[in-house]
Amino acid sequence: MRSFVVGLVLGSLFLQTRSVLPEQPAWSLIVLALLFALAAAGFKDAGDSKRNIRHTWITLTLVSSAWMLSGACLGVGYAQHRAEIRLVEALSREWEGRDIELVGSVASLPTLTERGTRFYFEVESSAVTEARVPRNISLTWYIEQPRNGEAAKPPPTLSPGERWTLTVRLRRPHGTANPHGFDFEAWALERNVRATGYVRFKGINKKEPLATSGMMIGIDRARLAIRDRMQAVLKDQPYAGVLIALAIGEQNAIPAAQWKTFWRTGTGHLMSISGLHITMVAALLYWLAFRLWARLPHLTARIPAQRVAAIVGAATALAYSLIAGFSVPTQRTFFMLLVVAIALIMGRGLSASRILAFALFAVVLLDPWCVLAPGFWLSFGAVAMIFYVTSHRTGQLSVVRAALLTQLAVTLGLLPLTLALFQEVSMISPVANAIAIPVVSWVVVPITLLGALLPAGLSDLMLLLAHWVMSLTYDCLAWLAAMPNAVWQSHAPAMWTVALAMIGVVVVMMPRGLPMRWLGAAAILPMFFVFPATPKPGELWLTLLDVGQGLATVVRTATHTLVYDTGPKWNPDADSGNRIVVPFLRGEGIRKLDALVVTHDDEDHAGGARSVIDARSPGWVLTPVPNDRDYLANATEVMRCEVGDGWRWDGVEFDVLHPTSNAYEETRKTNNMGCVIKITAPGGTVLMTADIEKLVEAELVARAGDELKSDVLVVPHHGSKTSSTEALLDAVNPTLAVLPVGYRNRFRHPHPDVEARYAARNIPIRRTDWEGAITLKFAADAKGEPAIESYRSQRQRYWTDMPEKKIVGEP
């Protein structure tokens, strides 16, 4: 069983790394899995007839290998079958961005944001019969902004199961694509979200009289009722979001500042419904049921108290898991508790590894994409390490020693996975968890659940008490999080070093007395000392990150790094600085910036500046923006961007071409104050143009002339019709243009006239909306022809939304 499940997980993971689905039909792999299973049974029967040690060892090897191959074939075939079904429902490109009238029902607990309400919508029918609309879509109903002095109009209050006729605009699931970044398209596929969009204010939007029903709708309604009740009691209490997350698993209710504290202390896993909480609640109900049933002898004689308690515990785990949204950690815990309950009911004992294997089997069959989620590996990895260090050891461990050993096992055991997934780890996690785990799991969670379920009056007291305890706990965690070096950051380690480190951890955590445990420590070291590739002296690496409609560029030489603009800000808690730029720098092992250029004051270029400054402390900031901007508050040194400035790093020259000192004395649009920089390396030149428009382009041509000539041009102003004039293109005369632009952006950039100008000069345009992050690597002898890396092409998966258009300017 265990070998089979390991193969199943590896097979499912293998399919999720494919750029295209296999050509052979899925059923053929499932048949192959059956054949390997029959072979495993045959090997076992043959081995049973021979009892000597040699044949026993060979038989075990053959049986385990056959079962693992059987599981792998089933994992690939089953995951392929599920993927084929899910990919059939796709929004055709011709219907992106067009008004479509749909009838359907609210299929989730609506999430309230500062901009509106986000919810899943299950489509029943479309008024446009020729439009192929997926059944499951994600919609946002935005707050209608005030016009002509009117007040803002919030969206209507939505409830799970309500049927609506809505006019919407949709697009295919298409997220930003960057190294070390979040894969939105994989996330959407796992949740069966086959299109995203928003409700149109001008259109038919009306509630239908008949609502839908069903078990999951009923559960979501119960979750909504609990949320509304808790919000009514807690109102504006600072940790109301934490208690709501602990009750119903809605983690969006927790503010970003609090998440930062939990992350820095390594206690984030406690601030949602984790496996620990479910186990604790199930164990409590198991104990109560056992005690009550055991006091009824006439019932105990018919059904043993242990069996009744097992059923109650499993039912409790299921109820709590469902009310939490049935995420991977809750699934894992429920299935493990279910296996234990079945074993107790049947009177059979199961090893810890078999319990874990059954849970793995159930979770992967339920969701073959779960292997893409960090929570899958961290939750199962934590349980596996706890079982590993507490099983098959001689002697009875004391409570304190067992707790210390468990915490050490989880901290060290998850270190390779944590660095591989996040490139940072909390150094104070053991201390913080020693405080938070007992308080949150044994005090806050039970009181919160009682407050959510008890009648009004008594529930109010319980919720306020839980909030008071959580407040004290958070104050302690905040003090720990504020300590210097609370979080240690690393580069993204190579996968082979992660695999080697995981083996090393297993060896290090072996029981005392076993020889050669020091080899495990040696196996962990490459993860820290094998660094990502960096430019050589004289080389220039330039990465235009995919930040949507905006610009963020990382420029690297042999020993220096510059960030040129930081992309947009999406809301007070999220911007491309903390979501894209900083993760990229962290993954590449760049812990400190030498310089930051904020080209002008538009939010799509400066929106992430504060996050980048706070996280990477650039040596200096070059900008035409006034120094009083709040996002520059924590900058060490701010210098004015002006013609004549320049510097040289590792044989690469940087020259500022705009703005002039006279421009600061004029009243100009922010776009026309953009900081224009030319980068000259031995292998080629790049002209960085920010959002300049035709006025500045004319000034540049008149003032700089031949100095503008560059091998690569970063297209001005995202391809707006107000930029990329013929005079500029003739003066620069690039062999390649790179266009930072958002997918289906509302400005409809690039303008067709601009595309035509580049095409007329045979200048190919590489676009971030279709190719993801684009990296140009100029070798010292590149002669103006850089090596080009497109992230979407490099990391293409079968679900990746790839371009259908050819590159502008190419034949």
Side-chain angles (χ1 to χ4, degrees), residues 748-766:
R748 298 186 179 182
H749 293 159
H751 194 276
D753 292 347
V754 172
E755 289 187 291
R757 291 176 206 150
Y758 284 90
R761 291 163 175 77
N762 294 320
I763 304 171
I765 299 179
R766 308 298 292 260

Side-chain angles (χ1 to χ4, degrees), residues 485-500:
N485 301 316
V487 174
W488 182 78
Q489 296 187 354
S490 174
H491 58 276
M495 289 312 299
W496 70 267
T497 66
V498 175
L500 187 62

Side-chain angles (χ1 to χ4, degrees), residues 188-480:
L189 181 69
E190 181 186 6
R191 285 154 182 79
N192 199 20
V193 176
R194 304 310 301 134
T196 63
Y198 61 95
V199 178
R200 293 278 287 162
F201 299 132
K202 297 179 180 179
I204 299 175
N205 300 314
K206 63 178 182 178
K207 185 178 177 180
E208 300 295 341
L210 296 177
T212 59
S213 60
M215 185 185 75
M216 295 309 300
I217 291 296
I219 291 171
D220 282 335
R221 286 174 180 163
R223 298 176 71 205
L224 179 62
I226 292 172
R227 185 182 73 181
D228 291 345
R229 185 176 176 184
M230 295 181 69
Q231 287 176 336
V233 173
L234 297 171
K235 296 183 174 65
D236 297 327
Q237 297 287 350
Y239 309 110
V242 174
L243 299 189
I244 291 172
L246 291 174
I248 63 172
E250 190 183 12
Q251 299 183 32
N252 292 324
I254 302 177
Q258 294 176 15
W259 269 125
K260 183 177 181 180
T261 297
F262 298 143
W263 177 254
R264 287 181 63 83
T265 55
T267 56
H269 64 101
L270 292 174
M271 304 310 155
S272 58
I273 301 178
S274 69
L276 180 62
H277 303 332
I278 294 175
T279 303
M280 180 274 299
V281 174
L284 177 61
L285 269 292
Y286 173 94
W287 180 82
L288 288 174
F290 183 87
R291 290 296 181 184
L292 290 174
W293 197 265
R295 291 179 178 273
L296 304 172
H298 61 288
L299 293 177
T300 306
R302 295 184 177 183
I303 307 175
Q306 187 182 56
R307 294 185 181 181
V308 174
I311 294 172
V312 172
T316 301
L318 177 61
Y320 199 6
S321 299
L322 290 174
I323 211 72
F326 216 47
S327 61
V328 169
T330 59
Q331 290 174 27
R332 178 258 303 165
T333 304
F334 165 68
F335 286 124
M336 283 196 296
L337 293 176
L338 180 63
V339 171
V340 172
I342 293 173
L344 290 173
I345 292 170
M346 297 177 63
R348 298 184 59 182
L350 287 176
S351 66
S353 60
R354 288 185 182 275
I355 294 173
L356 193 63
F358 277 115
L360 266 171
F361 179 77
V363 170
V364 174
L365 281 189
L366 192 66
D367 177 13
W369 295 278
C370 66
V371 295
L372 298 173
F376 172 85
W377 298 102
L378 295 177
S379 59
F380 276 105
V383 174
M385 287 304 301
I386 292 173
F387 284 164
Y388 175 68
V389 299
T390 57
S391 300
H392 307 298
R393 289 178 182 260
T394 59
Q396 183 69 32
L397 292 175
S398 66
V399 174
V400 174
R401 186 179 177 188
L404 292 175
L405 183 61
T406 298
Q407 184 61 50
L408 176 62
V410 172
T411 302
L412 183 59
L414 296 186
L415 179 63
L417 286 176
T418 303
L419 290 181
L421 293 169
F422 306 112
Q423 293 87 58
E424 59 184 7
V425 63
S426 173
M427 302 301 292
I428 56 174
S429 173
V431 176
N433 276 286
I435 298 170
I437 286 178
V439 175
V440 174
S441 297
W442 294 102
V443 181
V444 177
V445 170
I447 299 176
T448 299
L449 290 179
L450 287 173
L453 300 176
L454 287 175
L458 186 57
S459 68
D460 296 4
L461 179 62
M462 289 292 183
L463 289 174
L464 291 174
L465 177 60
H467 186 275
W468 178 73
V469 177
M470 189 66 234
S471 176
L472 295 178
T473 307
Y474 184 84
D475 289 343
C476 183
L477 295 178
W479 180 79
L480 290 171

Side-chain angles (χ1 to χ4, degrees), residues 144-159:
E144 190 170 357
Q145 297 302 319
R147 294 180 180 178
N148 302 323
E150 299 177 355
K153 183 180 179 181
T157 301
L158 301 176
S159 179

Side-chain angles (χ1 to χ4, degrees), residues 29-196:
L29 288 167
I30 297 174
V31 170
L32 190 60
L34 178 60
L35 293 177
F36 277 118
L38 292 174
F43 290 143
K44 186 177 185 303
D45 290 341
D48 288 343
S49 62
K50 300 180 179 182
R51 299 295 182 182
N52 64 68
I53 295 177
R54 180 172 177 272
H55 281 95
T56 299
W57 182 84
I58 295 174
T59 299
L60 287 175
T61 302
L62 291 175
V63 170
S64 296
S65 299
W67 275 121
M68 186 174 291
L69 289 172
S70 176
C73 290
L74 179 62
V76 175
Y78 177 70
Q80 178 184 342
H81 173 67
R82 291 284 302 275
E84 289 171 346
I85 294 174
R86 195 154 287 187
L87 290 177
V88 166
E89 287 202 7
L91 181 70
S92 59
R93 296 194 189 279
E94 62 179 309
W95 284 100
E96 288 187 290
R98 297 171 63 177
D99 287 354
I100 307 175
E101 184 182 318
L102 302 176
V103 177
S105 58
V106 179
S108 69
L109 179 69
T111 300
L112 306 179
T113 69
E114 63 174 16
R115 301 180 63 192
T117 302
R118 188 169 62 249
F119 59 99
Y120 291 157
F121 195 68
E122 188 172 307
V123 178
E124 298 174 11
S125 62
S126 171
V128 185
T129 55
E130 62 270 23
R132 191 180 70 180
V133 179
R135 182 176 177 82
N136 299 296
I137 62 177
S138 176
L139 295 176
T140 300
W141 200 325
Y142 290 107
I143 298 171
E144 190 170 357
Q145 297 302 319
R147 294 180 180 178
N148 302 323
E150 299 177 355
K153 183 180 179 181
T157 301
L158 301 176
S159 179
E162 288 181 346
R163 294 179 70 250
W164 284 79
T165 296
L166 299 175
T167 303
V168 304
R169 282 191 177 179
L170 301 175
R171 73 177 195 175
R172 297 157 65 91
H174 186 105
T176 57
N178 298 283
H180 320 297
F182 175 65
D183 190 342
F184 169 78
E185 292 158 34
W187 179 92
L189 181 69
E190 181 186 6
R191 285 154 182 79
N192 199 20
V193 176
R194 304 310 301 134
T196 63

Side-chain angles (χ1 to χ4, degrees), residues 579-615:
R579 296 296 175 88
I580 296 175
V581 180
V582 172
F584 174 81
L585 296 174
R586 184 170 58 237
E588 294 297 310
I590 300 170
R591 300 190 180 186
K592 191 177 186 305
L593 280 181
D594 294 284
L596 168 66
V597 176
V598 180
T599 61
H600 60 297
D601 208 14
D602 284 359
E603 194 168 80
D604 60 331
H605 290 248
R610 187 180 189 113
S611 295
V612 173
I613 291 171
D614 290 347

